[in-house]
Amino acid sequence: MELYRGRLIDHIQLVVRDLKASRRFYGALFEVLGVPIGGEAQDYFWADELFISSADSRAALGVLTGRHHLAFQTKDRAMVDAFYKAGLAAGGKDNGGPGERHYHPGYYACFLLDPDSNNIEAVFHGEARRSAAAVEISF
């Protein structure tokens, strides 16, 4: 399957109850994925397209987001395994350990619940060739 489109999602915001707990959890996952924290302040942090803020942040207007499912791409099965271990160690809860899933042959994933019960997945779709490591956008 090949897709030739721009990015579907520009960014996603999660509004969380406990920003410190979320920072610890997502920081551990991003470290495994090799994704740096792009910025942070007292009431938010962000990495790539994911923006996470406290309910009292200006962007949240005092309302928590509902339950979401976010799936992060990994480069191999070992990264899925490391993601799962790091997430558990950083306060996540098991929602399905690493293993093959029925979605398609080679679909290897794990699922964790973050501190706000969002379903967080790491997935490796199997061996594939990318046309580029990343999409560069210039303004």
Short mmCIF file of all heavy atoms in Angstrom, two decimals, residues 19 23 37-46 51-54:
data_model
loop_
_atom_site.label_atom_id
_atom_site.label_comp_id
_atom_site.label_asym_id
_atom_site.label_seq_id
_atom_site.Cartn_x
_atom_site.Cartn_y
_atom_site.Cartn_z
N LEU A 19 -0.26 16.94 35.19
CA LEU A 19 0.74 17.20 34.15
C LEU A 19 2.08 16.55 34.49
O LEU A 19 2.74 16.01 33.60
CB LEU A 19 0.90 18.70 33.93
CG LEU A 19 1.76 19.08 32.73
CD1 LEU A 19 1.09 18.66 31.43
CD2 LEU A 19 2.04 20.57 32.71
N ARG A 23 3.95 14.02 32.12
CA ARG A 23 5.30 14.36 31.62
C ARG A 23 6.26 13.20 31.88
O ARG A 23 7.07 12.85 31.02
CB ARG A 23 5.79 15.65 32.29
CG ARG A 23 7.23 16.04 31.99
CD ARG A 23 7.44 16.31 30.51
NE ARG A 23 8.75 16.81 30.22
CZ ARG A 23 9.84 16.05 30.03
NH1 ARG A 23 9.75 14.74 30.15
NH2 ARG A 23 10.99 16.60 29.74
N ILE A 37 11.50 16.11 23.58
CA ILE A 37 10.48 17.07 24.02
C ILE A 37 10.79 18.36 23.28
O ILE A 37 11.92 18.87 23.33
CB ILE A 37 10.52 17.28 25.55
CG1 ILE A 37 10.18 15.98 26.28
CG2 ILE A 37 9.59 18.41 25.96
CD1 ILE A 37 8.76 15.48 26.11
N GLY A 38 9.82 18.91 22.59
CA GLY A 38 10.04 20.11 21.79
C GLY A 38 10.02 21.38 22.60
O GLY A 38 10.67 22.36 22.25
N GLY A 39 9.27 21.37 23.69
CA GLY A 39 9.17 22.54 24.55
C GLY A 39 8.26 22.23 25.72
O GLY A 39 7.47 21.28 25.69
N GLU A 40 8.40 23.03 26.75
CA GLU A 40 7.54 22.84 27.92
C GLU A 40 7.53 24.10 28.77
O GLU A 40 8.41 24.94 28.69
CB GLU A 40 7.97 21.64 28.74
CG GLU A 40 9.38 21.64 29.27
CD GLU A 40 9.74 20.30 29.90
OE1 GLU A 40 8.96 19.80 30.74
OE2 GLU A 40 10.79 19.76 29.56
N ALA A 41 6.47 24.21 29.53
CA ALA A 41 6.30 25.30 30.49
C ALA A 41 5.56 24.71 31.68
O ALA A 41 5.34 23.50 31.75
CB ALA A 41 5.51 26.45 29.86
N GLN A 42 5.17 25.56 32.60
CA GLN A 42 4.51 25.09 33.82
C GLN A 42 3.20 24.35 33.52
O GLN A 42 2.83 23.43 34.24
CB GLN A 42 4.22 26.28 34.74
CG GLN A 42 3.65 25.89 36.06
CD GLN A 42 3.48 27.10 36.96
OE1 GLN A 42 3.94 28.19 36.68
NE2 GLN A 42 2.78 26.89 38.06
N ASP A 43 2.51 24.71 32.45
CA ASP A 43 1.19 24.14 32.19
C ASP A 43 1.08 23.32 30.90
O ASP A 43 -0.01 22.95 30.49
CB ASP A 43 0.12 25.23 32.20
CG ASP A 43 0.37 26.33 31.17
OD1 ASP A 43 1.47 26.36 30.57
OD2 ASP A 43 -0.53 27.16 30.99
N TYR A 44 2.22 22.98 30.24
CA TYR A 44 2.17 22.16 29.03
C TYR A 44 3.54 21.62 28.69
O TYR A 44 4.56 22.08 29.20
CB TYR A 44 1.64 22.95 27.83
CG TYR A 44 2.60 24.00 27.32
CD1 TYR A 44 3.61 23.67 26.42
CD2 TYR A 44 2.53 25.31 27.76
CE1 TYR A 44 4.51 24.63 25.98
CE2 TYR A 44 3.42 26.27 27.32
CZ TYR A 44 4.41 25.92 26.43
OH TYR A 44 5.30 26.87 26.00
N PHE A 45 3.56 20.63 27.80
CA PHE A 45 4.76 20.20 27.10
C PHE A 45 4.31 19.64 25.76
O PHE A 45 3.15 19.33 25.56
CB PHE A 45 5.57 19.17 27.90
CG PHE A 45 4.90 17.85 28.13
CD1 PHE A 45 5.11 16.79 27.26
CD2 PHE A 45 4.06 17.66 29.22
CE1 PHE A 45 4.49 15.57 27.47
CE2 PHE A 45 3.44 16.44 29.44
CZ PHE A 45 3.66 15.39 28.57
N TRP A 46 5.26 19.56 24.83
CA TRP A 46 4.91 19.03 23.52
C TRP A 46 6.10 18.32 22.90
O TRP A 46 7.26 18.57 23.25
CB TRP A 46 4.38 20.11 22.57
CG TRP A 46 5.35 21.22 22.26
CD1 TRP A 46 5.54 22.36 22.95
CD2 TRP A 46 6.28 21.25 21.17
NE1 TRP A 46 6.52 23.12 22.37
CE2 TRP A 46 6.98 22.47 21.27
CE3 TRP A 46 6.56 20.40 20.12
CZ2 TRP A 46 7.97 22.83 20.35
CZ3 TRP A 46 7.55 20.76 19.21
CH2 TRP A 46 8.23 21.97 19.34
N PHE A 51 0.61 17.71 21.82
CA PHE A 51 0.65 18.81 22.79
C PHE A 51 -0.15 18.36 24.00
O PHE A 51 -1.31 17.96 23.87
CB PHE A 51 0.02 20.06 22.16
CG PHE A 51 0.06 21.29 23.02
CD1 PHE A 51 1.17 22.11 23.02
CD2 PHE A 51 -1.02 21.63 23.82
CE1 PHE A 51 1.22 23.25 23.80
CE2 PHE A 51 -0.98 22.76 24.61
CZ PHE A 51 0.13 23.58 24.60
N ILE A 52 0.46 18.40 25.19
CA ILE A 52 -0.20 17.95 26.41
C ILE A 52 -0.19 19.10 27.40
O ILE A 52 0.85 19.69 27.68
CB ILE A 52 0.51 16.71 26.99
CG1 ILE A 52 0.44 15.57 25.97
CG2 ILE A 52 -0.13 16.31 28.32
CD1 ILE A 52 1.18 14.33 26.34
N SER A 53 -1.38 19.42 27.92
CA SER A 53 -1.49 20.56 28.83
C SER A 53 -2.34 20.21 30.04
O SER A 53 -3.11 19.25 30.04
CB SER A 53 -2.10 21.76 28.10
OG SER A 53 -3.44 21.51 27.77
N SER A 54 -2.19 21.03 31.06
CA SER A 54 -3.03 20.91 32.25
C SER A 54 -4.38 21.58 31.98
O SER A 54 -4.51 22.39 31.06
CB SER A 54 -2.34 21.57 33.45
OG SER A 54 -2.13 22.95 33.18
#
